[in-house]
Amino acid sequence: MANEVFNALDIAKTQWYHFTAIIIADMGFFTDAYDLFCISLVTKMLGRIYYHVEGSTNPGTLPPEVSAAVNGVAFVEYSNKKTRGAFIAAVFAMQGLGITAGGVFAIVLSTLFEIKFKAPTFEVDPIGSTVPQADYLWRIVLMAGALPAAITFYWRLKMPKTARYTALVGCF
């Protein structure tokens, strides 16, 4: 019986449900990639805001143990035989989009903050070169990554079990 069900699933046509499942899986990879690759930009902001050393020749940087802790914290099937490979490729392709989105969002937001909150260069005024509003910048960058994660979490809660899983559980 199970083999008949699996054979029927393997030759089934691609339906809207399949694309929905792929989009949900894509968002998971997008969110992971966004978080993993914007964190390096966020650590630069954190060093500049919280670890400025008076008389230093360069803007503040995080101590190695703090940087390692912040970067470390960032780390805390549905288709038929015919289209399975394409769907898996689509999911993994979202990592590139997430990487790009994280970097672009951080850079664009940094530029907007720089335009809105003018400050002298570090060479002219080391203390005054980091405006107080910069503290909001790294928070906004990280919070933006939480939006697709929350949407993905909600969608995954509402998503029904796959026919393959249901058939497999029903056989035992």
Side-chain angles (χ1 to χ4, degrees), residues 76-123:
V76 168
E77 200 143 64
Y78 289 106
S79 58
N80 58 40
K81 279 185 176 179
K82 183 178 172 186
T83 57
R84 191 172 295 149
F87 284 176
I88 291 172
V91 169
F92 281 100
M94 282 303 279
Q95 281 187 314
L97 200 58
I99 291 166
T100 304
V104 167
F105 186 70
I107 290 169
V108 167
L109 213 56
S110 296
T111 303
L112 292 174
F113 266 68
E114 184 179 29
I115 292 168
K116 177 74 175 161
F117 306 107
K118 292 288 187 193
T121 63
F122 181 80
E123 292 77 22

Side-chain angles (χ1 to χ4, degrees), residues 15-166:
Q15 299 173 7
W16 181 248
Y17 169 79
H18 294 104
F19 291 108
T20 304
I22 295 307
I23 291 169
I24 293 169
D26 285 352
M27 290 306 294
F29 271 96
F30 175 90
T31 301
D32 288 344
Y34 180 96
D35 290 341
L36 290 173
F37 288 92
C38 78
I39 198 70
S40 63
L41 300 170
V42 167
T43 56
K44 297 292 185 201
M45 293 178 212
L46 292 175
R48 182 77 185 263
I49 295 167
Y50 297 116
Y51 290 91
H52 177 78
V53 178
E54 186 67 38
S56 173
T57 58
N58 60 5
T61 57
L62 290 177
E65 62 277 2
V66 175
S67 179
V70 171
N71 285 310
V73 166
F75 288 104
V76 168
E77 200 143 64
Y78 289 106
S79 58
N80 58 40
K81 279 185 176 179
K82 183 178 172 186
T83 57
R84 191 172 295 149
F87 284 176
I88 291 172
V91 169
F92 281 100
M94 282 303 279
Q95 281 187 314
L97 200 58
I99 291 166
T100 304
V104 167
F105 186 70
I107 290 169
V108 167
L109 213 56
S110 296
T111 303
L112 292 174
F113 266 68
E114 184 179 29
I115 292 168
K116 177 74 175 161
F117 306 107
K118 292 288 187 193
T121 63
F122 181 80
E123 292 77 22
V124 173
D125 183 3
I127 300 294
S129 66
T130 305
V131 295
Q133 293 84 355
D135 192 36
Y136 296 114
L137 183 59
W138 69 270
R139 298 169 195 266
I140 294 169
V141 170
L142 287 181
M143 283 190 284
L147 184 60
I151 292 169
T152 302
F153 180 73
Y154 175 76
W155 280 348
R156 288 206 176 169
L157 287 176
K158 297 296 183 185
M159 196 169 139
K161 302 289 186 242
T162 65
R164 190 174 304 278
Y165 175 80
T166 305

